[in-house]
Amino acid sequence: MERMRPSASEPAQGTLPATTLHTVVDGAPGAGTPTVLIHGVGSDLARWDPVIGPLADKGTVVRYDLRGHGTSPKPAGPYDIADFVADHVGLMAELGIARANIVGFSLGGLIAQAVALRHPGLVGRLVILSAVAGRTAAQRAAALARLRAVETGGPAVVADGGERWYTDDFRKKNPGVVRAHLDRFRRNDPAAYAAAFRVLATTDLIDELHRITAPTLIMTGALDVGSPPEMSRAMHERIAGSRLVVVEGVKHAVFEEAAGIVAATVRDFLHPPGEGPRVPPSGRPPGRAVARGD
């Protein structure tokens, strides 16, 4: 394990047509393995902005809004982890991607685990950021209590001013970042958010993780409450050959509070030094937006 401190399946019945998911493609096409990013519950593809540059400099990066999020469709629930997996697999097929590196954050990390388990041939390398696995009885009870709050009061009742996501120091120094996150959070469709949150609160793949064969990087913040280091250690112990990185001094929003560390660590894991650049030396070509479901 490395500890780092930042400086300053079976197809689901409700599968969406892949072309309806709001998708953005960054970076340059090339012979290398593309990377697909999966955001967390209540978020959207813009949450990857702090780390997209270094990742896209190495090749094609696809990010999309999950069902029920952003400008993707918001079908009626309930949702299941298999729905999210099928949406992901369908999008890869629609984009002509036979194999991709997958980076998932929070709920996205749970989806990434499931994709690697159900469709191992589609996964090159796997990155699991601030994700859940192996909840204790107390942690399960806490997750279900938050689910009940969401189902009765909507997304705003668990926003908690950003305290669960960000350290006090980060919130004090970056009020605009926190405010933007909370505003986005409160704009979620209540029913879709609750359907997605139920998947996060009730799905645990810990007993299956030993079957993951993709090279895997696991990262979390040392102060993360919902996805604490012990969960990442449990994943690390079960996924053979995996690498574990715990970032000191940050909470759940590890890719914002420690964007430089996350971007460099993930980039070097997906594209080891010496592999060679995947874009022309003249610079990174502009991103290509593929808007779906607008």
Side-chain angles (χ1 to χ4, degrees), residues 146 155-166 171 182 185-186:
R146 286 174 64 80
V157 301
V158 293
D160 66 17
E163 294 179 11
R164 191 178 180 88
W165 281 70
Y166 306 100
R171 288 190 296 123
L182 294 177
F185 197 77
R186 295 185 181 107

Side-chain angles (χ1 to χ4, degrees), residues 7 14 30 76 82 96 102 105 110 120 131 146 151 153 159 164 172 190 217 219 231 236 238 262-263 268-270 291:
S7 57
I102 300 179
F105 169 78
L110 187 59
R146 286 174 64 80
E151 291 179 332
R164 191 178 180 88
K172 180 180 179 179
L217 168 66
M219 295 185 72
M231 289 190 186
H236 174 54
R238 287 162 176 78
V262 173
D268 291 347
F269 175 76
L270 298 181

Side-chain angles (χ1 to χ4, degrees), residues 11-143:
Q13 294 299 315
T15 304
L16 293 172
T19 52
T20 68
L21 294 173
H22 177 227
T23 307
V24 170
V25 181
D26 292 279
T33 303
T35 296
V36 182
L37 310 179
I38 314 175
H39 66 75
V41 68
S43 192
D44 59 35
L45 60 80
R47 294 288 287 168
W48 294 106
D49 286 351
V51 298
I52 193 66
L55 299 182
D57 280 346
K58 286 291 186 178
T60 301
V61 178
V62 177
R63 44 185 171 150
Y64 65 96
D65 290 340
L66 293 168
R67 65 164 55 212
H69 294 75
T71 56
S72 284
K74 300 171 179 61
Y79 300 165
D80 186 88
I81 189 67
D83 293 311
F84 290 107
V85 170
D87 290 346
H88 181 94
V89 172
L91 179 63
M92 285 182 60
E94 195 268 335
L95 294 176
I97 299 174
R99 187 177 178 86
N101 298 320
I102 300 179
V103 182
F105 169 78
S106 193
L107 172 61
L110 187 59
I111 296 167
Q113 294 171 37
V115 172
L117 286 165
R118 311 295 186 254
H119 302 275
L122 298 183
V123 182
R125 288 176 175 254
L126 176 66
V127 180
I128 304 170
L129 300 174
S130 303
V132 296
R135 284 188 175 109
T136 64
Q139 289 167 336
R140 287 195 298 273

